């Protein structure tokens, strides 16, 4: 998914709900420059934490900002059909750190956000903890993953999993020189 689609969806929802940029800054706690950049940059994609905050203020699910199409129940995503939807960059001039493949795209009535995520070694360079409402469940399928959770640091290997409350500051990164892969499910309460 291109960032301009997310930026235009955010702008459309803001207009629809009568929310100004100043309102969004105040209610999300995010910086004005950061929010302006989301609508302006075509290559920069913010992390899920800020997008969750924006979606909450706009009164929509995170998936509403990410989805392009609607599917029928049940939603099945075959391994060969997974499409990379989001490349997250730690900053606009930094290399890609995470590649997200949405596994729930199109299921409009979902309450969870499932992803397959490729975590690149670049993710370990600038560790900025995030916090948001909800819970996260992660299963490592390949490589080594470091999870900072509050003041604790955990090293996970293939087959390991972690389940935590997202309100505690956290960060997930690759713990080796080769990419790691995880399945992650985010639950965001309404």
């Amino acid at each position: 998914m291109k960032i301009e689609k997310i930026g235009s969806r955010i702008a459309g929802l803001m207009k629809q709900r009568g929310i100004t940029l100043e309102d969004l800054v105040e209610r999300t706690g995010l910086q004005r420059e950061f929010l302006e950049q989301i609508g302006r940059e075509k290559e920069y994609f913010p992390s899920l934490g800020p997008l969750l905050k924006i979606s909450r203020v706009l009164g929509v699910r995170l998936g509403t900002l990410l989805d392009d199409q609607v599917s029928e129940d049940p939603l099945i995503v075959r391994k060969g059909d997974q499409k990379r939807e989001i490349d997250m960059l730690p900053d606009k001039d930094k290399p890609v750190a995470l590649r997200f493949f949405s596994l729930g795209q199109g299921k409009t009535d979902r309450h969870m956000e499932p992803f397959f995520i490729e975590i690149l070694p670049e993710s370990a360079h600038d560790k900025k903890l995030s916090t948001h409402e909800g819970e996260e469940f992660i299963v490592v399928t390949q490589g080594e993953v470091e999870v900072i959770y509050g003041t604790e640091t955990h090293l996970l290997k293939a087959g390991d999993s972690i389940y935590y409350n997202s309100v505690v500051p956290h960060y997930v990164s690759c713990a080796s020189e080769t990419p790691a892969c995880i399945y992650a499910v985010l639950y965001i309460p309404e």
Side-chain angles (χ1 to χ4, degrees):
M1 159 156 309
K2 298 273 189 222
I3 187 65
E4 65 263 19
K5 289 184 182 179
I6 291 175
S8 64
R9 284 192 184 138
I10 291 170
L13 288 165
M14 287 172 62
K15 184 176 181 180
Q16 201 177 58
R17 287 161 171 71
I19 296 173
T20 66
L21 183 58
E22 289 73 27
D23 294 334
L24 201 57
V25 168
E26 184 179 321
R27 293 170 62 188
T28 62
L30 300 171
Q31 294 182 353
R32 179 186 183 91
E33 297 78 26
F34 174 79
L35 292 169
E36 288 173 341
Q37 187 177 16
I38 291 173
R40 190 173 55 239
E41 300 289 336
K42 293 184 180 178
E43 298 298 319
Y44 174 65
F45 197 95
S47 66
L48 292 181
L51 289 178
L52 285 169
K53 290 177 182 180
I54 293 167
S55 68
R56 298 292 271 170
V57 169
L58 296 175
V60 297
R61 296 175 306 98
L62 173 64
T64 301
L65 298 181
L66 304 177
D67 285 354
D68 275 326
Q69 57 205 54
V70 177
S71 71
E72 294 183 22
D73 260 350
L75 173 63
I76 297 173
V77 180
R78 305 281 181 204
K79 185 170 175 71
D81 295 336
Q82 292 177 354
K83 294 179 186 151
R84 189 166 86 211
E85 294 295 324
I86 307 167
D87 282 349
M88 292 203 179
L89 291 73
D91 210 341
K92 80 173 198 176
D93 296 323
K94 305 261 175 135
V96 172
L98 302 167
R99 291 187 176 125
F100 281 72
F101 299 78
S102 176
L103 301 177
Q105 184 179 30
K107 181 150 178 45
T108 57
D109 61 346
R110 70 184 180 266
H111 299 283
M112 301 179 293
E113 296 294 336
F115 295 99
F116 173 77
I117 305 169
E118 187 177 33
I119 307 173
L120 304 176
E122 289 78 6
S123 63
H125 298 303
D126 190 17
K127 300 176 184 180
K128 293 181 184 172
L129 278 63
S130 69
T131 181
H132 52 85
E133 292 182 54
E135 301 173 336
E136 295 182 32
F137 176 72
I138 293 171
V139 178
V140 179
T141 61
Q142 174 185 315
E144 295 183 350
V145 174
E146 179 184 85
V147 178
I148 300 172
Y149 183 72
T151 59
E152 303 171 358
T153 300
H154 304 277
L155 182 65
L156 305 176
K157 297 181 179 187
D160 295 344
S161 66
I162 186 169
Y163 188 145
Y164 55 86
N165 290 315
S166 305
V167 294
V168 175
H170 58 280
Y171 186 79
V172 178
S173 64
C174 183
S176 65
E177 295 301 315
T178 58
C181 295
I182 64 173
Y183 283 99
V185 178
L186 284 70
Y187 166 73
I188 301 107
E190 293 189 28

